[in-house]
Amino acid sequence: MNRSAMSNQASYIGRFAPSPTGPLHAGSLVAAMASYLDAKANRGRWLLRMEDVDEARTAAGAAESILADLDLLGMHWDGEVVFQSRRTALYEAAFDCLGRLAYPCGCTRREIVDSRICVAADGAAVYPGTCRTGLPVGKPARAYRLRVPDPGHVDELIIFDDRWLGRVQQHLAIEVGDFVLKRADGFWAYQLAVVVDDADQGVTHVVRGADLLDSTARQIYLQRQLKLATPQYLHVPVITNADGEKLSKQNGAQAIDLKQPLHALSKAAWFLGLDIGQVDSVAAFWPLATTAWANLETNRRG
């Protein structure tokens, strides 16, 4: 894994990591655009990773469709596309490095909900630690969890500075609990896979939607346990539907109309607060958008 320190803009490596569960939609375009522009404004590399570690949810042809859409929209990535489904050996190796911090859990989802100590910011039940001291008699291991520090321990409070949102903090024990590394269905969990992949690819800057903000403290804690560098984070606002829910494939988000790619790009830029002005082509859009993003970043710092 790449553990190099992040020293200057010349070493900037960003990434866009969609889940290939359906076509690119307006919400995922906003995340893609933000990460792409941040890389370009910092003269960095922009990598593309398909987060298909949950193979059961992967839609046939979705990865190819996303790649074609990004290409048509003028968003060209650096290097080869990485697929999580082909990297399970790396996740296994990282899991082994955690030693006794990782432990088997025999709880079902219903049991966790029934015995939860509270509800996390993302709506999930905070795990009450039922299997921390060993599996109950007669219960087989279903999943594997990472032990977080006890409440009040110095390492239990994770604090980081988000480049969009400012200072963020989270108490792992109280707000999250011991979290899953390997799921009951046998797939590696998102938190472990993304930490391993970002480190292995040398990612220095993570730009993504604010819906993933609640995951960041867990990922920073996991990075520390694996002795990996922590990237800089920037979480942009997410598009919501009429019910206030994040626009996603799960709640019926429609694919981008690629008959009008410039219109789709302009809408995403407007949502991000970028002042682009009138443009007449996709090729002309990106230099103006990159400058607008750099100006937005300067204004946030100021």
Side-chain angles (χ1 to χ4, degrees):
M1 293 181 189
N2 189 323
R3 297 186 172 104
S4 60
M6 300 167 292
S7 56
N8 52 48
Q9 288 186 340
S11 64
Y12 182 112
I13 299 177
R15 50 76 161 175
F16 175 51
S19 298
T21 55
L24 198 70
H25 58 78
S28 49
L29 176 56
V30 165
M33 178 178 288
S35 64
Y36 182 79
L37 290 176
D38 202 54
K40 295 305 175 184
N42 286 283
R43 298 185 177 89
R45 301 181 68 220
W46 187 64
L47 309 181
L48 190 59
R49 182 170 74 228
M50 289 293 166
E51 296 198 335
D52 61 344
V53 68
D54 186 347
E55 298 178 52
R57 293 181 59 238
T58 299
E64 294 77 12
S65 173
I66 291 171
L67 296 178
D69 291 351
L70 292 172
D71 189 57
L72 182 62
L73 290 164
M75 304 173 72
H76 307 302
W77 54 92
D78 297 302
E80 295 184 2
V81 179
V82 166
F83 289 80
Q84 285 186 330
S85 58
R86 304 171 189 173
R87 299 165 65 80
T88 54
L90 287 175
Y91 311 145
E92 183 79 47
F95 177 82
D96 290 343
C97 287
L98 293 167
R100 297 178 65 181
L101 283 176
Y103 67 88
C105 174
C107 300
T108 65
R109 185 172 298 180
R110 171 50 58 188
E111 288 171 334
I112 294 171
V113 170
D114 288 345
S115 60
R116 68 180 184 264
I117 52 179
C118 60
V119 178
D122 61 1
V126 173
Y127 182 66
T130 308
C131 300
R132 258 192 163 214
T133 57
L135 288 169
V137 176
K139 265 194 175 290
R142 292 172 51 81
Y144 285 83
R145 294 181 178 273
L146 182 67
R147 188 186 308 273
V148 302
D150 293 329
H153 191 281
V154 64
D155 294 328
E156 185 263 346
L157 175 62
I158 302 294
I159 303 174
F160 64 97
D161 290 312
D162 186 272
R163 292 171 52 213
W164 189 289
L165 300 171
R167 180 62 56 93
V168 178
Q169 66 178 40
Q170 187 177 70
H171 289 274
L172 289 175
I174 300 170
E175 300 178 64
V176 178
D178 298 342
F179 56 92
V180 173
L181 298 172
K182 193 171 188 180
R183 300 175 358 184
D185 56 14
F187 293 126
W188 293 103
Y190 165 75
Q191 309 295 355
L192 178 66
V194 73
V195 163
V196 171
D197 288 337
D198 282 344
D200 186 63
Q201 293 184 279
V203 171
T204 61
H205 293 70
V206 172
V207 178
R208 59 190 181 186
D211 56 307
L212 291 169
L213 179 66
D214 190 61
S215 291
T216 306
R218 276 171 278 184
Q219 291 167 16
I220 291 173
Y221 177 68
L222 191 46
Q223 289 156 3
R224 292 174 181 174
Q225 306 319 302
L226 292 170
K227 297 180 172 57
L228 302 174
T230 294
Q232 293 185 36
Y233 289 96
L234 188 158
H235 291 84
V236 296
V238 296
I239 298 178
T240 57
N241 61 19
D243 296 324
E245 301 170 322
K246 171 202 166 188
L247 194 65
S248 68
K249 303 176 187 78
Q250 286 71 35
N251 59 29
Q254 298 299 306
I256 295 167
D257 181 4
L258 290 174
K259 294 178 182 177
Q260 303 181 68
L262 188 56
H263 178 67
L265 291 173
S266 297
K267 286 182 65 177
W270 174 84
F271 181 80
L272 288 169
L274 302 178
D275 183 9
I276 306 297
Q278 294 295 319
V279 291
D280 56 10
S281 69
V282 169
F285 171 85
W286 288 111
L288 293 172
T290 301
T291 299
W293 178 269
N295 291 338
L296 190 67
E297 176 75 3
T298 300
N299 292 336
R300 279 202 304 271
R301 290 174 181 170

